[in-house]
Structure formats: structure tokens, C-alpha cells
Amino acid sequence: AALSRRYVLCEVLSEDPRCRQCIEDRAVGLAVRDAIGRVHGDYGLACCSVSFTVKYLNAYTGTVLLRCRKDWHRLLCSALPFVRQLESRNQRYPCALRTLHVGGTIRTCQKFLIQYNRRQLLMLLQNCKNEEERRCIQKSLLSCSLTEEQSHSGDEEDDDGTE
């Protein structure tokens, strides 16, 4: 039987524009582990660490996909609000992690992210100041789709059917 896993889709929020440059797997992983340790102690950290990993990261959009065992995903999620900073090259950048979605597969998280981005773009479209802005955002909206090639990534076991 395959291990049941959960994928937690998060967004890195920061006022500091320099924070984007330190959004990397290692920094995010350490910040999350540190928060779990502070909130749930050594036992919680040990439970969450079993198959915890930063599965996907996009520094440009601030999107992070975390993977953990299904049994411990609530422990992980409850610690995420306590991530207060990312550290890189001895510099600390204040930030927060906002949980967007928890799914059973990477694909469900991808689908959610596309819909989420589409909603964000529609909100931007309503606030356009001129026709040029409007055209750029409409073009972005049309590009929000999931192609077949992306759907065949290796980590797609549909754990136990629940999402």
C-alpha cells in the first residue's frame, strides 16, 4: 500500500521586496520545521519530519507546495501561521505563510492554483485603470490552463481517494 500523503499549497506573504530572493527550498523547509518545533515540540517535529518536503517552489509568485504524511498534516498546518521569517545568507526577512489549499495529490493542488490565479486576475481586471492594463490581464487570464504534459508528473498516486 502506498503511503497516504497530503500536499499543502501555501503563499509566502512579505512586505519586504528582498524576501523573494531568499524563497528557496532550504529556507522554507527550515522555517517550517522551526515553527513545528516551537508549536508542537520534539515529538511533533519528529512526526512531521517523516516524509516532510518542499515539493515545489516558485519564488516569483511566492507559491510553495509542501508534502507530508496524511496522519500529520493537521499538525503541519497548525504550525504554518507561526512561520514569521525566512533566513538566507545570515539575513532574516519577515514573512508569513498563508495556506491556500490542502489536497491528496499534486494535481488537485495544481487545479486549485489555476482557479485561484484566475480569480486573482479577475479581481485585477475589475480595477484596471486603462485599456492597456485590461488587455494584459485578459491575456494572462486566457493563459490559465493545465496542459496534458504537466499532468503526467511522477508523484501522482491518488492516495486513498479523499481530497
Side-chain angles (χ1 to χ4, degrees):
L3 273 178
S4 287
R5 296 190 171 129
R6 284 294 167 263
Y7 296 90
V8 182
L9 186 65
C10 303
E11 184 176 36
V12 178
L13 305 172
S14 180
E15 300 289 316
D16 190 339
R18 296 170 307 160
C19 184
R20 288 248 184 264
Q21 69 201 25
C22 77
I23 300 176
E24 49 197 31
D25 296 33
R26 195 176 158 281
V28 172
L30 287 172
V32 171
R33 283 186 179 91
D34 176 62
I36 294 168
R38 280 183 288 130
V39 176
H40 298 293
D42 292 341
Y43 177 75
L45 184 57
C47 292
C48 283
S49 292
V50 173
S51 83
F52 171 79
T53 186
V54 178
K55 207 62 190 147
Y56 168 80
L57 189 138
N58 184 328
Y60 181 71
T61 61
T63 305
V64 177
L65 187 65
L66 306 172
R67 184 191 74 195
C68 68
R69 293 273 296 275
K70 181 184 175 189
D71 312 356
W72 306 111
H73 83 279
R74 284 189 177 88
L75 216 76
L76 169 68
C77 290
S78 67
L80 292 178
F82 295 93
V83 171
R84 294 279 172 252
Q85 64 189 16
L86 289 180
E87 201 170 326
S88 180
R89 297 176 206 86
N90 295 324
Q91 289 286 318
R92 290 184 176 151
Y93 301 95
C95 70
L97 283 183
R98 176 169 58 186
T99 302
L100 299 176
H101 182 74
V102 178
T105 64
I106 292 175
R107 182 142 177 93
T108 57
C109 292
Q110 278 181 323
K111 286 178 179 175
F112 173 85
L113 190 57
I114 288 166
Q115 291 307 313
Y116 175 77
N117 286 337
R118 190 172 275 158
R119 285 193 303 273
Q120 298 294 98
L121 285 167
L122 283 168
M123 286 193 307
L124 284 174
L125 193 58
Q126 291 166 354
N127 299 324
C128 280
K129 299 197 179 15
N130 60 44
E131 203 48 48
E132 181 57 29
E133 276 184 14
R134 185 173 225 79
R135 268 196 302 275
C136 287
I137 291 172
Q138 283 172 331
K139 188 177 171 190
S140 296
L141 267 167
L142 291 172
S143 71
C144 287
S145 68
L146 193 60
T147 61
E148 273 310 301
E149 288 120 51
Q150 288 172 302
S151 69
H152 299 300
S153 75
D155 222 326
E156 284 308 313
E157 68 280 346
D158 204 352
D159 302 325
D160 56 3
T162 61
E163 308 253 335

